[in-house]
Amino acid sequence: NVPMKTLFLFLSTLCLPWLYYKMVQVMPSNKYYVLENDYESLRVLNVERNGNIIYTYKDDKGNVVFGLYDCQTRQNELLYTFEKDLQVFSCSVNSERTLLAASLVQSTKEGKRNELQPGSKCLTLLVEIHPVNNVKVLKAVDSYIWVQFLYPHIESHPLPENHLLLISEEKYIEQFRIHVAQEDGNRVVIKNSGHLPRDRIAEDFVWAQWDMSEQRLYYIDLKKSRSILKCIQFYADERYNLMFEVPLDISLSNSGFKLVNFGCDYHQDRDKFSKHLTLCVFTNHTGSLCVCYSPKCASWEQITYSVFYIHKGHSKTFTTSLENVGSHMTKGITFLNLDYYVAVYLPGHFFHLLNVQHPDLICHNLFLTGNNEMIDMLPHCPLQSLSGSLVLDCCSGKLYRALLSQSSLLQLLQNTCLDCEKMAALHCALYCGQGAQFLEGQIIQWISENVSACHSFDLIQEFIIASSYWSVYSETSNMDKLLPHSSVLTWNTEIPGITLVTEDIALPLMKVLSFKGYWEKLNSNLEYVKYAKPHFHYNNSVVRREWHNLISEEKTGKRRSAAYVRNILDNAVKVISNLEARNLGPRLTPLLQEEDSHQRLLMGLMVSELKDHFLRHLQGVEKKKIEQMVLDYISKLLDLICHIVETSWRKHNLHSWVLHFNSRGSAAEFAVFHIMTRILEATNSLFLPLPPGFHTLHTILGVQCLPLHNLLHCIDSGVLLLTETAVIRLMKDLDNTEKNEKLKFSIIVRLPPLIGQKICRLWDHPMSSNIISRNHVTRLLQNYKKQPRNSMINKSSFSVEFLPLNYFIEILTDIESSNQALYPFEGHDNVDAEFVEEAALKHTAMLLGL
C-alpha cells in the first residue's frame, strides 16, 4: 500500500545456535516482507505485541514517513507523514491503529532547525491517524523520551481509553490515559486533549526493560547502593500492580542510564557498544525468571557474565577466556530468550546455551567456542534481543526470529567428541522436537550405531528418561518437579573453556496476595525452593522394595491377597493396551506377546506408585487425567525400548527364524544381543520395567551367540534372565546330543524350583526323571518325623531285592497314603514312590556302568 520501489526489509528466521543464517528469496512469505523503496534511511522502530512492525524512512523531500507492516495480512500501511526534517528514535501505535505516538529529535544539519518547538531537543507527539487529524505535543524537552502504548489482551472490541507509557532520560516513567471517541462515522478523536490524565509509575531508576509480549515493566532503582529489581504488571482492565522486589548482587551505580526493549535502539553509539553493561530479564510460561548480566569490560582477555535463576534461588557466574581479540573490540555480549533456554552470544568468539528449567548441572548447557565452524555461520554484528525470540541485527537493520535448529543439533550430537556436548545436544534436540517421532527415530538410529559413544553417562538410559519426560511435560506446569528429566545426578567433569561459580541468592518478596497465570507458576517455583527438602522427583525405590517382596512371596507360596495382586496386574494390562493403542502398526520383534508375570508386576507397581506420587503433589488435577498421564509416561518408556530393539532388528535385517535354536548366532544377531544387553543394563540401575517378551528374546539370542561358559556366567550374574517361554522352546528345539544335554542340564539346575519342575516334565530324559524324583522326595520328607516301624518288609512288592531301597520306598509309600490330601501334586503328575524307585535304579545302573 506504500508507493515505494525495491527495498527489502526482512523478518527472517535465524536458526541458532548453528549452522545457517540465511534469507529465503521467495515472495510472498512469512519469512520477510517487501517494501518498494530504495532509501537507506529506512529503519525498524518497534515491534508491537500483536507482531506488527513499525518502521520509518525519509522520502526524497526529506519528510519523515511512518509505516506499519501487518504480520497477519502481510501488507504495509502508511500511518503518517511528518513534513519536517526530524530524526525519529521512538514510536508506538495503539492496537486499533487510531493513535500514533512518536519521539523525534530536531535535525542537526545547518539551517534545518525545528520550527515547532524552538530550543527543545526532543519532541514527543501524539497524533490522531484514523483519519489523520490533530497533533498534540506531549513533551518538548532537552532529554530523550521513549513512548510505548499498552496492549490489552481484549481484542474483540476497542477500549474507550488507551494507555501510553513515557520513559524519560531523566529517570521517571509516566502513564498517560487517553480517552478517544468516534465522530462523523469512523473518525476517532482524542477527548479533552488539552488535559490528559497521567500517573507517575516509577522514578529514580537506572535501568528499565519492557516486556511487550507479557506487558510487564522491569526496572532497577538503587537503595543504599543496592540494586533492587522491581516488576510492574499491566492488566487489560486498566490496573497495574507492583508484583515483586528482589535484590541483585550487581553494580549499577556508575553505569548511567539504560533501557531495554523500548523499541529498536539505534540511538546508542555503536563504537561504544561493547563498553556498556548488558542486563536483560527473561521469563517463560513455566514460571521461570532469569536475570542475565554482563558487567562493563575493562579487558577483553576474559569475559564474565552471570545468570540469576531467581525461580531456582541461585545464580551462576561464568568466566571464559577469549582468543585472537583485536585491539578495537566493538561487539558486546547478546542474551537471547529461547523459551526453555537462554543463549549467550559474543560474535566470533563463543555461543553458550543455558538450560533455564534445569540449570543445576553444567552438562545440560552447551558451550561452543569460536573454533567451532558452526559459530562462524552466525552473524558477526551486535545484536539486540527484543521481546519473545526476536533479534535485531544492529548493523544491517534486519529483524530475525531466533530458533533452535533440530537438524543442526542432531549433527552436533553425531559429530562432537565431548560427552558434555552430547548430553546438552541430546536434551536440546528432544526439547525442540517434543513428540516428534521422526526426530526420536533419528536419535534412536544413531544410538543403535553408537551405543558406547559416551563414557560419562549411559546414553540409552539418558535418552529413555529424557524422552519420556518430554512426552508428558506439557500436561501440567509442575512436571519438572515431579519427574526426573535426566538420569545423571552429578557432573564433576569440567567443561573445556569455561569456569563456573554457583551462589545462593535472595528470593523475591512478592507484593500481591493472589496469583494467576505466570505469577501463580512463579510463586509455585519459589515455594518449591523454600520448602521442598528433599526434592519431589519420582524414583522407583518403593517399587523395587515391593517388587522384591512379591517375588519372595511367590517363591515361598505365601503371596498376599489375590485382590491386591490382581489390581497390580490390571494396571499392567492398562499400560499395554495404552501402548498398543498408540502404535497400531505390526511389530517386527516378539515383544508384548507373552505374559512375563514378573515384568507385569513391576509395570503394575510402577503405575500404582507413580499415580500416588502425582496425587500427593498435583493438587486440583482430576484423578482421571492423572491416571492417563501415568499410563502415557510408562507406555512411552516401554515404547522407546521396543523402538530401540526394532531399529536394531531392522538395521541387521533379522527374521522370525532367529527365534529358533537351530543354528549358531550370526554377527547381526550378536549386534542385536549386544544392544539388548545395554538396554537391560540401563533399565536395571533405575529399576524400570521392560516389555514382556524382552527377556525371552534376549535369552534366545544369548544361547545362540555365546559359548556355554559365557552363557552360564551371564545367567549367574543376572545379565540373562531365564523365562519359562525361552526354556520350553530350548527343550523342544534342541535334540539330546551330548552337547545339548549339557546345555539343557545347565539351564534346568539354574531355574527357579516351580519353573524347573515344569520344564523337567517336558524333557524325556533320565536326568530329568532324576531331578523330578529328587524334588518329589524332598517335598515328602521335609516335614517327616520318624515313627516306630515293623522291621519286616514285604519283599514281594518290590521288583528288586535291595533292602535300603526297599525300606526307603516303603516309607515314601506310607507318607503318600497318609498325606495324599496335603499333596495333590503327586497324583496329578503321576509321580509316586514307584516312579522314584525306577528312577533310582536307572540312575544307579548308569553310575555303575551296567
Side-chain angles (χ1 to χ4, degrees), residues 599-615:
Q599 287 305 310
R600 288 177 181 262
L601 280 175
L602 178 54
M603 206 182 301
L605 284 171
M606 187 172 177
V607 170
S608 179
E609 184 61 27
L610 186 55
K611 183 166 63 176
D612 291 344
H613 178 70
F614 281 174
L615 288 172

Side-chain angles (χ1 to χ4, degrees), residues 516-574:
K516 292 182 179 180
Y518 165 82
W519 298 109
E520 182 180 8
K521 296 175 183 178
L522 173 61
N523 189 62
S524 174
N525 288 334
L526 298 177
E527 293 293 310
Y528 182 77
V529 173
K530 291 178 186 176
Y531 304 117
K533 307 292 182 183
H535 295 310
F536 296 154
H537 281 166
Y538 172 81
N539 64 74
N540 267 347
S541 58
V542 175
V543 172
R544 184 194 301 265
R545 183 170 61 251
E546 182 67 7
W547 186 82
H548 283 302
N549 290 339
L550 287 174
I551 298 303
S552 300
E553 292 169 3
E554 181 186 81
K555 292 178 180 179
T556 59
K558 297 179 180 179
R559 179 171 282 184
R560 63 195 73 181
S561 69
Y564 173 76
V565 176
R566 184 167 59 251
N567 181 60
I568 293 174
L569 295 177
D570 286 345
N571 288 340
V573 172
K574 292 177 184 178

Side-chain angles (χ1 to χ4, degrees), residues 258-276:
K258 185 173 179 63
L259 298 179
V260 178
N261 288 350
F262 285 94
C264 301
D265 190 2
Y266 292 89
H267 185 68
Q268 62 185 342
D269 187 352
R270 291 178 188 169
D271 292 335
K272 299 179 181 179
F273 188 94
S274 61
K275 297 180 181 179
H276 291 286

Side-chain angles (χ1 to χ4, degrees), residues 247-307:
L248 298 178
D249 186 17
I250 58 178
S251 177
L252 297 178
S253 57
N254 298 319
S255 62
F257 173 80
K258 185 173 179 63
L259 298 179
V260 178
N261 288 350
F262 285 94
C264 301
D265 190 2
Y266 292 89
H267 185 68
Q268 62 185 342
D269 187 352
R270 291 178 188 169
D271 292 335
K272 299 179 181 179
F273 188 94
S274 61
K275 297 180 181 179
H276 291 286
L277 65 84
T278 304
L279 182 64
C280 300
V281 177
F282 293 142
T283 63
N284 69 21
H285 65 282
T286 64
S288 69
L289 176 60
C290 292
V291 178
C292 304
Y293 169 66
S294 176
K296 294 180 181 180
C297 293
S299 170
W300 283 103
E301 294 180 358
Q302 278 193 337
I303 291 289
T304 298
Y305 52 94
S306 301
V307 178

